[in-house]
Each structure stands twice: as structure tokens, then as C-alpha cells.
Amino acid sequence: MTMANLIYPWVLISVHVKLDRPVIAPGHGCTPGGVVMKIHEKILTHYLSCTSPVDKEGYLYKKRERNTTYLCRWFVLKGNLLFYQERPGDRILLGVIVLEGCLVQACETDGQFCFSLVFTGPVLRTYRLAADDHLSQESWIGALFCASHFYLSMIVRDLERRYEEARRDKGLCDSIQTSAVTSTPNKIMASWNTGQPYFLHGTSIVPRDGRSYSTSSVPPPSMPNRPISYSLHAPPIQFKTTNKRSPKLWPKTNAHVTPLNGPAPSFGKWPVVGFDPLEEFSKMHEYYGNEIKQLRADWLRKKRE
Amino acid sequence: MRFNEKELVFLSRQPSERAAELGMRGPKKGDVVKRRVVKLIVNFLFYFRTDEDEPIGALLLEQCRVEREDDQVFSIVFLDEAERKYLFECDSQEQCVEWIDAIVKASYEFMRKNLIYYRTEIHRLTGKDPLEQYGISDETRFQVNSGLPPLPPAAT
């Protein structure tokens, strides 16, 4: 790999072909020269099709790379990913653009309502897109501008600071530990990373797949005022206390859930809630509990109809 | 499916939230543990052969479940399928815990929820929408999801 020191990375991509890698395979990049990085297509398509909200979708024209023609494509923006396909509802995805490291610019060179995604990497790749009208162009530019993970993380950092300021101004006790490193995984945060965000459970509220739940005789954690919403997720992180086993075997997850009656988990840099849950859990419970009540009411109403 | 591979490879070379050499095992039967350099950047987990600069692959850390499998081992399950369970062997309990923490917090959806929470709370405490100054208060992606009832009046 010493060649990497001598030539530019983008050149390396086209000349450095490892013999034990497939040249082209599904879910791999279509880079001429054959170097492939696996993107795990199914994980992406699952994210696209799951019930978390789509940030924007609609028809746009996309300029072909080696051609001057624009083709009409159905675009779906979710998180920091821009997917495109021929038509809405198509099962085949034509492609995805990961929106990190790019600028979004209106450009009128190709005509009206055009805009570009200009990537700032060594290749300076530019995707040229065009909307049907000015409103759509503005709307897409606005949505793409704030789509990156990097952007989101900056905003969250800022809001976290302002939240703490607002709380201080209100004279509210702030018991957040601000140290960045946690010694134990934050169980509350862990449950947020899984499955569908429960904000959007429009269907029946059932516990998620029971596989992850405790199979031991230890009862599930009972926390005072534990919000109903926790049962909608895979539970907090579990770990076994068995003897060391070879990781080569697939360990049955015979875990017991760490009891939450113990010491309060310490918070890391990104607390889901900015307060000590044991102190103000009833607040959080009420907040999310209201949402659940609303969803249930909607669901029951729909059921009756 | 096409994707902007070169740009992703470029991204994989940027400073990461976390990077380490770990034992990594794929989901298929017969997959064995291999030493890989694993790098967490935005909501992707890139993995490299230990002597290479180009990543072999990138795992999108959305819609996945991260679990502690053992003292020093954690897993990531995608699509709720055991067939898509990746194992990662760390060198210490502490490292294992830190990785789990970092991966959970790296998810776009996780961060979005935090943002919405802070936005709502700041609005409740101050009467102001903190996103207005950025000009993004109307963006769909930052809206409190529909169905959420208005918060009770701010506590004193």
C-alpha cells in the first residue's frame, strides 16, 4: 500500500485492483477500473422503506454523467441520503447519493430551475439536477442544504448549549454530567437507535420482537413512571454475565436486562433528555405519554371507522 | 444500485469520531473473525483491511440494533434479521462500551430526535424557536412529528 503515498487517491482508485475482490457486483460501486467498496444495499433500502419520515420527495431531472441529457427521476430524500428511481413505488432503486461533503448551489447554466450538488473531494464531482419550477427548485435546495449529518450535528450541539442556558436562566437545577465519556452505556439513549421512531407508530402498539427481551428469570426492569414508549423499542443494552465463551460461537442472547433500579446512568455528550431522568422523569413520561395517548386514540378511532 | 463511491471513500479518510482495529465477523454462516480497522464517520461504519487505505465496505448505522454480546464483544443487527448480525471484538470492556455508545449516538435519526426535543424545550422555556435564526424552522426534517400534542405550559 506504499503506492498510496506517491499518487493521488483518485488515481489509486482506478489502478489499484485487488485480485481477491470482485470487479463488479451488486451493491458495489460502479467505478470504472473496478475497485469496489461494498455499500450493503439492503441496509440502505431498508432505511428508505421503513416508516421513519421521508424528508422530501418528488420528480427532478438528473443530468447524465457523460451526456447532456436530463432524465426524469423520482427522488427521495431521507436523512443524509438522496435516493433516486425511475418512478415512485418502483422496487428497483437506481442509485443513492450520500450527502456529506457537498455544496448545494443554484446554477442557471443549463437553463432554468437547475441546481447542483458539488462535492468537495479530490474528484470534485458534481450532480446536476433541475426542478420543474422555481418553487420546487428553492424547496429542494433548502432541503438538501441542511441534509448532511455534519450540519445536523452542528445544530444539535448548538441547541444543546442553548437548552442548558435556557434552563439556567429559568433557575432550573441542572444535574447533567457534562463529561463526554460515559462509563456505562446510556440505556435510555440506546433504545432510541433501534427500529422505527415511536413518534410514528400509527398502527397497533405492540412490543417489538420478543427476541431481545430477557429470557432469564429476572423480571423486566420496573422503573417508576417508566414511559410506555420504552416497550415499543428493543430494550436497553443487555450483556451476559456468563463465563467467557468463544466469540466464534453464536451466543444465544440469554441476557438479562440490567436492572434500572440501580444507580442512575451517567449521561454522555448527547443526552436524549437534558435532565436527570430520576428527577424529572415524570415530565418526560407525561410528554411522551401524551403522544402515545394521542396515537392510541387515533388508532382506536380508525379501527372504529 | 449506483452510489457516489469516490466521495464515500474520500469521506472514509476524514477524521473519524472513533477508529480502532477490531475483530470483525460477518453475518453469514462460515464467516470468521477478521482483524479490521473500523472507522465511525457520520452515520457510517467503514471497515478496512489493516494494511489498506481503501475501505472494503460501509455499514449505514440506521435502523439497527446495537447489543453487548459479551464482555468485550458487541453486535450490530440490521433489518431485525439474525442473518444480518455483525460481531465486533474489542480489546477491553471499556472500549466495547465506548463503541456501543458512539454507534448509538451516530445515527441520524437519533440526532434528529435530540434536535426536535431541544427545539421544543427551548421554545417552551423561552417562547422562541431556536431554528428561526438559521432560517430552517420550516424544513420538514426538523418538525415535531404530527400527532404529538402540544406540551403542557412551562413549569415554573
Side-chain angles (χ1 to χ4, degrees), chain B residues 73-91:
Chain B
V73 180
F74 68 91
S75 67
I76 310 179
V77 177
F78 296 94
L79 280 72
D80 254 343
E81 293 169 9
E83 306 91 72
R84 287 187 201 276
K85 185 178 200 172
Y86 291 79
L87 281 188
F88 296 87
E89 294 175 2
C90 305
D91 293 329

Side-chain angles (χ1 to χ4, degrees), chain A residues 62-100:
Chain A
K62 180 175 172 291
K63 193 175 187 179
R64 299 186 69 178
E65 277 189 70
R66 289 192 190 85
N67 207 298
T68 51
T69 54
Y70 278 78
L71 294 173
C72 188
R73 295 282 180 255
W74 180 259
F75 281 81
V76 182
L77 174 62
K78 199 175 206 186
N80 56 346
L81 301 172
L82 184 63
F83 297 89
Y84 55 97
Q85 56 201 91
E86 275 191 27
R87 278 173 301 272
D90 264 4
R91 292 213 306 175
I92 299 169
L93 281 178
L94 292 176
V96 65
I97 303 168
V98 178
L99 299 165
E100 299 294 331

Side-chain angles (χ1 to χ4, degrees), chain A residues 1 4 9 12-13 18 21 28-29 31 35-44 46-47 50 55 77 79-81 93-98 100 119 121-123 125 127 142-143 146-147 149 151-153 155-156 158-160 162-163 166-167 170 181-183 185-186 189-190 192-197 199 208-209 211-212 234 237-240 245 247-248 250-251 268-272 275 287-288 290-291 294, chain B residues 1-11 13 17 25-27 42-44 46-47 49 51-71 73 77-80 82 84-87 89 97-98 100-101 103-115 117-122 124-126 130-131 133-134 136 139-142 145-149 151-152 154-155:
Chain A
M1 216 36 221
L12 189 65
I13 285 168
K18 276 238 142 184
R21 289 201 210 179
H28 289 66
T31 312
V35 170
V36 292
M37 182 181 80
K38 189 169 181 191
I39 193 138
H40 299 268
E41 198 172 318
K42 287 225 171 100
I43 298 174
L44 266 75
H46 182 246
Y47 174 55
C50 78
D55 295 314
L77 174 62
N80 56 346
L81 301 172
L93 281 178
L94 292 176
V96 65
I97 303 168
V98 178
E100 299 294 331
F119 281 84
V123 184
R125 178 178 185 159
Y127 287 89
C146 57
H149 187 283
Y151 183 90
L152 179 61
S153 97
I155 300 281
V156 174
D158 186 60
L159 292 197
E160 184 187 20
R162 290 163 69 173
Y163 172 72
R167 283 174 50 84
K170 278 251 168 182
V181 177
T182 52
S183 54
N186 186 308
M189 284 190 273
W192 284 73
N193 193 36
T194 62
Q196 307 153 5
F199 288 134
R208 277 177 57 89
D209 126 48
R211 181 167 55 88
S212 300
I237 293 164
Q238 317 157 22
F239 53 90
K240 296 187 298 195
R245 281 206 230 164
K248 291 198 175 117
W250 283 100
K269 239 160 64 171
W270 306 106
V272 166
F275 45 71
Y287 179 88
Y288 292 120
N290 282 339
E291 186 218 349
Q294 179 82 33
Chain B
M1 184 173 83
R2 293 179 164 269
F3 66 98
N4 48 334
E5 182 181 2
K6 288 180 187 154
E7 286 69 33
L8 262 189
V9 170
F10 180 69
L11 181 67
R13 296 168 148 215
E17 179 65 31
R25 180 177 156 183
V42 296
N43 52 347
F44 279 96
F46 293 97
Y47 53 98
R49 289 198 182 90
D51 57 346
E52 290 179 5
D53 288 349
E54 309 281 310
I56 311 170
L59 294 163
L60 174 72
L61 299 169
E62 304 291 338
Q63 297 296 303
C64 62
R65 173 159 44 229
V66 191
E67 280 179 1
R68 187 96 171 262
E69 293 288 333
D70 209 331
D71 275 359
V73 180
V77 177
F78 296 94
L79 280 72
D80 254 343
R84 287 187 201 276
K85 185 178 200 172
Y86 291 79
L87 281 188
E89 294 175 2
V97 160
E98 286 171 5
I100 293 171
D101 203 46
I103 289 169
V104 165
K105 290 172 188 168
S107 140
Y108 191 100
E109 295 302 329
F110 173 82
M111 287 172 52
R112 191 211 300 264
K113 284 172 194 170
N114 271 346
L115 181 150
Y117 177 80
Y118 286 135
R119 180 188 187 184
T120 316
E121 284 298 289
I122 291 168
R124 185 176 67 85
L125 291 169
T126 68
L131 295 190
Q133 70 176 84
Y134 300 116
I136 52 175
E139 286 298 331
T140 324
R141 65 175 63 238
F142 302 130
N145 296 293
S146 59
L148 195 64
L151 288 168

